[in-house]
Amino acid sequence: MSLDPLKPFRDEVESATKAAFQAMGADVRFEIEVPATGVADFAVPCFPLAKALRKAPPAIAEEAASKLPRMEMASKAWAERGYLNFKVDEKKLSRSTLTEIMKEKENYGKGAHRKEKVLLEHTSVNPTGPIHVGRARNPIIGDTLARCMRACGYDVTTEYYVNDVGKQVVILTWGLDHLSPSDVDIVDDSEKADHRLVAYYRKANEMMENDKEVEKQVGHMLRRFEDGDEEVIEKVRKTAKLMLDGIIESLDTINVAIDQFTWESTFIKDGSAHRVVEELKRSEHCKEDKGACYLELEPFGVHGRDTKFFFTRADGTTLYTTRDMAYHLNKFERADRLINILGEDQKLGQTQLAIALKLLGKERAPEVLFYSFVSLPEGRMSTRKGVVVHLDDLIEEAEARALEEVKKRRTDLSEEKMRDIARAIGRGAVRYNIVRVQPEKPLVFKWEDALNFEGNSAPFVQYAHARACSILRKAGEFGRDLDPEVLTNEYEVKLIKALARYPSVISEAGDKARIHVLPAYAHEVAAAFNQFYTYVPVLKGEENRDARLALVDATRLVLANALTTLGLSAPEEM
């Protein structure tokens, strides 16, 4: 477990502030903030205390400042505009921060192991076609959250729920059984199955809509599937597996790896979906509509057209919602905590699911992180398909654009080396640009943001890491027996304070599922490092050379840790 260099300072601020308020005759709750301006390192806003203390916030802050006990970790405390402000002892912070980073290296910022088992479901797109840009946020958010939670010490397993039961995948299976390549119009020249087989689905779906016999055959397959027919289930699963392999290949390009896959058909084969149906039928809230069973949810606060939550069709077959309930009952047995990453269009469904699970006797419900979908500006990106932009297209164009930028900047590299760098930049740009925006906020993916070498982007952070590596290569060996307290220059101190915040940022990202704070932090460190090496002579100056090189090395380690946790590569050369 890595120690948080800022914790002793924060703990002292909390203890001293509490003592000051108690000396004023008030035992009140208060918040400690980290001001963005940098004027103070910690601040206690006194505005929320005005009613309890019956004083104006500036007066509260002034009196509290006068009653603070002697502090060893803070160099200064003062009241200003209703805030009680604190400055840390910068020499002590420099020593504790650099010592901890150099000791822990790649483990810096990581929390102690927790016994709690977390099952995090993400991606789970239907295996009937490639992932499109609109849904690309799901795997990137899910994978980044899993990385942040693991860094916090959680035991996290990521899972993909494979929909191999739905009508779409059955239609595709029928198409593969009955159509030859000459029967379909394959417009995608990709060799990947998830692109190539879409043409079979389109043709089969068209035939089903226009031919009663085809519709009958597909319906018969669906019925056999629902009845647990092993032959049909295996045939459909084989089709889903073909598509899934292509999807997994796409995920691999953005460094998303999934620990395990659970197949929806499992809950038909093992009878658990039908057990859910039988149990829900016994509920007083179960009703029927032309043979189809549903739960009436109006008593639970659901209103309008959404009060009927169907869990069987008129013919008695189960629905996706039914199997999803069986799946969650299964997940409850395997983990202490469930997290689902879902699009904002699933909010009603998750409310209905939570109510149904309660009726099944479960007081638990999955935690859900909802995200808004990704869109592209009109006409800003060409695609072979013309209608839908797939994740594969986005990655391909990102790498091509990154290669153009690399060629402008590095004429001294081989073509292979330039392509390696472009691959790291392009793929990193896609992940970073998607995760830097809070999940619930809409995101318009713009190339000028994603590949901006000077802005809040992956290339900017990756370049800072590469610059740190370059400085260390040029410096060669340097003394490690140094005194971090000599680093008193304003740019040195600003960078050290940024490095000291990494454990608390990781905690916020993983414990509170606020993953967007991590790219913001990485950009802050990269910007502080740029100022440092611009204004402070590291290689040319002899004064404090070893300590400054140690600061460069510490920055390299923190940037590498942040990039890795974001799922990005940390290139040593750009």
Side-chain angles (χ1 to χ4, degrees), residues 115-121 155-159 260 327-339 362 364-367:
K115 294 181 180 179
E116 186 180 36
K117 287 188 177 297
V118 178
L119 188 58
L120 195 161
E121 183 203 338
D155 180 359
V156 181
T157 299
T158 56
E159 185 160 287
Q260 60 193 30
Y327 174 45
H328 277 81
L329 293 174
N330 173 268
K331 288 203 285 187
F332 286 145
E333 295 175 1
R334 296 187 281 130
D336 304 305
R337 185 177 169 191
L338 310 185
I339 301 175
K362 298 294 180 181
R364 299 169 63 189
E367 301 167 45

Side-chain angles (χ1 to χ4, degrees), residues 226 273-289 291-297 307-326 352-353 356 359-360:
E226 183 71 25
H274 289 289
R275 287 194 293 274
V276 165
V277 169
E278 293 308 309
E279 192 163 345
L280 289 179
K281 280 182 176 181
R282 291 194 289 270
S283 169
E284 62 180 301
H285 301 284
C286 176
K287 311 290 181 186
E288 279 195 28
D289 183 355
C293 295
Y294 67 90
L295 295 174
E296 177 53 64
L297 301 185
T307 62
K308 294 181 179 181
F309 184 47
F310 284 91
F311 59 91
T312 74
R313 297 185 183 89
D315 63 2
T317 56
T318 61
L319 298 167
Y320 175 86
T321 53
T322 328
R323 298 184 291 273
D324 197 31
M325 282 183 260
Q352 294 170 328
L353 173 67
L359 291 176
L360 288 169

Side-chain angles (χ1 to χ4, degrees), residues 50-345:
K51 186 175 180 180
L53 298 180
R54 297 182 181 179
K55 290 183 181 179
I60 296 172
E62 290 287 350
E63 186 177 352
S66 69
K67 295 185 180 298
L68 286 169
R70 183 176 177 276
M71 303 173 72
E72 295 184 2
M73 309 295 284
S75 61
K76 181 183 177 184
W78 73 101
E80 184 176 352
R81 297 179 181 178
Y83 284 88
L84 184 57
N85 296 317
F86 300 85
K87 271 279 188 186
V88 303
D89 185 315
E90 291 168 351
K91 288 186 177 181
K92 289 181 179 178
L93 182 64
S94 295
R95 176 172 292 282
S96 62
T97 300
L98 291 188
T99 299
E100 185 66 15
I101 294 172
M102 291 308 180
K103 179 173 75 103
E104 294 295 333
K105 294 184 169 52
E106 66 274 5
N107 290 319
Y108 175 62
K110 292 185 177 179
H113 175 71
R114 310 185 194 201
K115 294 181 180 179
E116 186 180 36
K117 287 188 177 297
V118 178
L119 188 58
L120 195 161
E121 183 203 338
H122 69 76
T123 308
S124 300
V125 294
N126 288 345
T128 51
I131 300 176
H132 62 75
V133 168
R135 298 280 179 178
R137 216 168 179 179
N138 193 313
I140 291 172
I141 288 172
D143 183 71
T144 306
L145 178 57
R147 290 168 181 266
C148 289
M149 292 187 74
R150 285 172 182 144
C152 288
Y154 290 97
D155 180 359
V156 181
T157 299
T158 56
E159 185 160 287
Y160 186 127
Y161 184 44
V162 187
N163 181 350
D164 62 331
V165 178
K167 189 174 184 180
Q168 286 181 319
V169 74
V170 171
I171 291 171
L172 174 58
T173 303
W174 183 93
L176 292 176
D177 267 357
H178 294 83
L179 302 173
S180 65
S182 60
D183 295 324
V184 299
D185 182 18
I186 299 178
V187 295
D188 192 333
D189 57 3
S190 173
E191 289 299 311
K192 290 176 76 234
D194 55 329
H195 287 268
R196 185 169 43 83
L197 299 186
V198 169
Y200 286 85
Y201 169 75
R202 289 176 182 154
K203 182 64 177 178
N205 192 55
E206 178 189 324
M207 292 175 68
M208 188 191 70
E209 290 176 350
N210 297 304
D211 188 328
K212 291 292 183 184
E213 179 57 30
V214 174
E215 183 182 15
K216 181 180 177 182
Q217 290 177 23
V218 170
H220 183 59
M221 280 186 72
L222 276 168
R223 181 75 238 190
R224 287 176 63 193
F225 197 121
E226 183 71 25
D227 290 340
D229 188 307
E230 289 281 352
E231 182 186 351
V232 175
I233 288 175
E234 287 308 312
K235 184 179 287 188
V236 174
R237 182 176 286 197
K238 184 178 178 182
T239 299
K241 183 71 169 60
L242 279 173
M243 300 297 272
L244 190 60
D245 287 345
I247 291 169
I248 292 170
E249 189 179 332
S250 299
L251 295 176
D252 185 59
T253 64
I254 51 171
N255 203 19
V256 172
I258 295 168
D259 297 322
Q260 60 193 30
F261 297 82
T262 294
W263 297 78
E264 189 179 346
S265 56
T266 302
F267 305 107
I268 289 177
K269 289 176 70 174
D270 68 7
S272 56
H274 289 289
R275 287 194 293 274
V276 165
V277 169
E278 293 308 309
E279 192 163 345
L280 289 179
K281 280 182 176 181
R282 291 194 289 270
S283 169
E284 62 180 301
H285 301 284
C286 176
K287 311 290 181 186
E288 279 195 28
D289 183 355
K290 299 176 182 177
C293 295
Y294 67 90
L295 295 174
E296 177 53 64
L297 301 185
E298 190 168 9
F300 300 94
V302 179
H303 303 291
R305 293 179 299 174
D306 303 315
T307 62
K308 294 181 179 181
F309 184 47
F310 284 91
F311 59 91
T312 74
R313 297 185 183 89
D315 63 2
T317 56
T318 61
L319 298 167
Y320 175 86
T321 53
T322 328
R323 298 184 291 273
D324 197 31
M325 282 183 260
Y327 174 45
H328 277 81
L329 293 174
N330 173 268
K331 288 203 285 187
F332 286 145
E333 295 175 1
R334 296 187 281 130
D336 304 305
R337 185 177 169 191
L338 310 185
I339 301 175
N340 297 339
I341 310 298
L342 293 170
E344 59 189 0
D345 57 341

Side-chain angles (χ1 to χ4, degrees), residues 367-385:
E367 301 167 45
V368 187
L369 179 57
F370 293 108
Y371 63 92
S372 183
F373 299 117
V374 179
S375 60
L376 296 165
E378 287 293 325
R380 297 301 299 276
M381 179 178 173
S382 61
T383 169
R384 293 187 301 261
K385 270 62 81 183

Side-chain angles (χ1 to χ4, degrees), residues 532-550:
F532 164 72
Y533 74 69
T534 298
Y535 296 109
V536 179
V538 178
L539 294 173
K540 293 180 181 178
E542 288 299 319
E543 184 184 13
N544 301 331
R545 183 177 185 273
D546 288 352
R548 286 171 175 167
L549 285 170

